[in-house]
Every structure is written in structure tokens, then in C-alpha cells.
Amino acid sequence: MIDTIVVQYIVAGTIAFLILCNIVLSLNEIENDTINHIIKKWAYGKYFFITFAWGILGGHFFLGTKVPLFGDNWWLPVVLVIVILLALLIIGFKQKDGFVMEPRLQLLLLVLGVLYGHFFWSQRHLEEITLPFLN
């Protein structure tokens, strides 16, 4: 079983790695090659499911209801997320080359993702754990 401190270090290390990569990539001679720019380019193209996924994660981690809609069926929202994201990915792959998602549709995907993460896949009903290195 992985201890919570190990998970915290993995998350902190991943965030630090992404920040370091963005700094290094922003200092080289190639324009628009940072991770942020690449993900944005993907999200406005065939991989528009990324915006929905970010919304879900935001609603899941930072918002949430005290009583999840599916009760003790913790696995059901996860399965639905996977099915929805796979459906969006398949729809994206069927788009023609040069497809660009409109910004207002991106906003709609983000809002729908936040609502899903807030109401369906809420984390707020779980007990809070203490974070040893943040105390």
C-alpha cells in the first residue's frame, strides 16, 4: 500500500517537472513549443476532450458536493468519465484535418466538465487527511 506521503511527493515532483520543462522550453530558440502551448493547440483541434477533462478535474478536486449523486457507487462516475472521454476522443478523430473548435464550445465543454466533476464525481464527501509536510 502506498503511503499518502509518497503520493504527495510524486504529485509535487510531477508539478515541479512540468514547471521546469516549461521554463526550459520557453528559453530555447523555438517559438511556441512549451507544454502549455502544445496542449492548447491540441485542445482546440481534434483533442477537444482535453478541455472537458480539465473541467472534470477542477470540479472533482476543488468543488464538490457533500453528498455524491451516486452514493456509495464510487466506481460509476469514473466509468462514466472514461466512456464520455472516449466518445469525445472518437468524435475528435472523425473530424477533418485542420478542424478548429470554437472558443465558445470550448467554454461550454469546460463548464460541463466542472459541473460533472462537482455533482457526479465529487471528492468533498471524503474525510480530510492531514498532510505531514504542509503542517
Side-chain angles (χ1 to χ4, degrees), residues 18-32:
L18 288 173
I19 291 171
L20 181 65
C21 283
N22 260 339
I23 291 170
V24 169
L25 289 171
S26 70
L27 297 175
N28 68 13
E29 298 174 4
I30 301 172
E31 290 291 319
N32 299 326

Side-chain angles (χ1 to χ4, degrees), residues 17-22 25 32-42:
F17 175 74
L18 288 173
I19 291 171
L20 181 65
C21 283
N22 260 339
L25 289 171
N32 299 326
D33 69 335
T34 61
I35 295 169
N36 299 342
H37 182 78
I38 292 169
I39 290 175
K40 180 183 174 188
K41 183 179 171 185
W42 287 351

Side-chain angles (χ1 to χ4, degrees), residues 75-127:
W75 55 271
L76 189 55
V78 177
V79 170
L80 286 174
V81 164
I82 293 169
V83 169
I84 292 169
L85 291 178
L86 283 175
L88 290 175
L89 180 64
I90 291 169
I91 292 169
F93 280 149
K94 291 187 177 192
Q95 302 303 315
K96 296 178 182 175
D97 288 337
F99 169 77
V100 176
M101 177 67 75
E102 292 182 37
R104 63 187 170 142
L105 292 176
Q106 285 285 326
L107 179 62
L108 178 64
L109 283 172
L110 183 67
V111 169
L112 289 174
V114 168
L115 291 174
Y116 184 92
H118 173 73
F119 289 110
F120 294 98
W121 194 27
S122 178
Q123 184 169 284
R124 291 282 177 216
H125 65 282
L126 301 174
E127 282 187 35

Side-chain angles (χ1 to χ4, degrees), residues 58-72:
H60 172 69
F61 289 123
F62 303 111
L63 300 173
T65 61
K66 293 285 185 187
V67 180
L69 291 178
F70 293 117
D72 291 334

